[in-house]
Amino acid sequence: IDAQDRTSDDRPISYYNISSYSKEDYANNDFGMVLEPQFLYYITYERNPAVYVGGGPSFAFGNSKHVSSISRYRENEIYSLATRERKSSSYSLGIIALAGVEIFVNDYLSFHAEYASSFTYSEKENKEIRWNRYYETSEADEIEFASSDKDYKFRYKSVLFGLSVYF
């Protein structure tokens, strides 16, 4: 299982000259989770080294939202506001196959090396909305973008080396 949750805020101020400046606000929120349960079958368990194969399903999903706004001021009066909101959501489904070898030092301790490959299908949806408002002319506009991606991936996982303790 792998998971992440990240939230960040940032508020810089940029001065162009004494009477003109802009304030920016950024807010980010990202969440993602991966679940990869695996079943291992030992082909040679009684001998050293022990050889095993295994595999299992793979599932992942994620959501993110990023909001930014830029307020422009002239002589302490706001004259424009630009806001952008980006949202994305994704998921993937797949299978993992692996093979490995384990060398037992004693009944409680072993070293192992493992290689895995995966095949996954994933989808991602993106949406972005931009708003612009001009206070001097009372004009406003809105632009919306949307996209989606679907793909299949076959990839290798890096070789893992490890130490196992049995009790």
Side-chain angles (χ1 to χ4, degrees), residues 73-92:
Y73 294 85
R74 187 179 309 123
E75 297 180 9
N76 292 327
E77 294 283 329
I78 187 168
Y79 70 89
S80 76
L81 173 64
T83 303
R84 183 166 81 173
E85 181 178 299
R86 290 181 294 157
K87 294 180 181 179
S88 68
S89 61
S90 63
Y91 77 91
S92 71

Side-chain angles (χ1 to χ4, degrees), residues 34-134:
V34 177
L35 180 62
E36 295 179 338
Q38 297 175 353
F39 173 77
L40 300 180
Y41 174 73
Y42 280 82
I43 297 169
T44 59
Y45 188 72
E46 299 296 325
R47 293 183 298 167
N48 212 3
V51 177
Y52 61 91
V53 294
S58 172
F59 175 73
F61 70 92
N63 288 313
S64 67
K65 182 178 178 181
H66 305 277
V67 179
S68 64
S69 65
I70 300 173
S71 304
R72 291 188 173 85
Y73 294 85
R74 187 179 309 123
E75 297 180 9
N76 292 327
E77 294 283 329
I78 187 168
Y79 70 89
S80 76
L81 173 64
T83 303
R84 183 166 81 173
E85 181 178 299
R86 290 181 294 157
K87 294 180 181 179
S88 68
S89 61
S90 63
Y91 77 91
S92 71
L93 300 169
I95 57 171
I96 298 172
L98 60 95
V101 63
E102 188 169 12
I103 299 171
F104 288 88
V105 177
N106 56 37
D107 291 340
Y108 306 104
L109 185 67
S110 71
F111 296 102
H112 60 87
E114 183 176 290
Y115 175 78
S117 292
S118 66
F119 179 75
T120 59
Y121 170 77
S122 63
E123 288 190 14
K124 184 173 185 177
E125 301 271 335
N126 298 309
K127 186 175 183 181
E128 181 174 337
I129 300 174
R130 295 180 185 175
W131 299 277
N132 293 308
R133 182 169 179 194
Y134 307 96

Side-chain angles (χ1 to χ4, degrees), residues 120-123 149-153:
T120 59
Y121 170 77
S122 63
E123 288 190 14
D149 297 319
K150 298 176 183 178
D151 64 4
Y152 294 93
K153 291 181 186 173

Side-chain angles (χ1 to χ4, degrees), residues 131-149:
W131 299 277
N132 293 308
R133 182 169 179 194
Y134 307 96
Y135 289 90
E136 294 172 337
T137 61
S138 298
E139 292 180 27
D141 58 44
E142 180 178 316
I143 302 170
E144 186 172 321
F145 304 94
S147 67
S148 64
D149 297 319

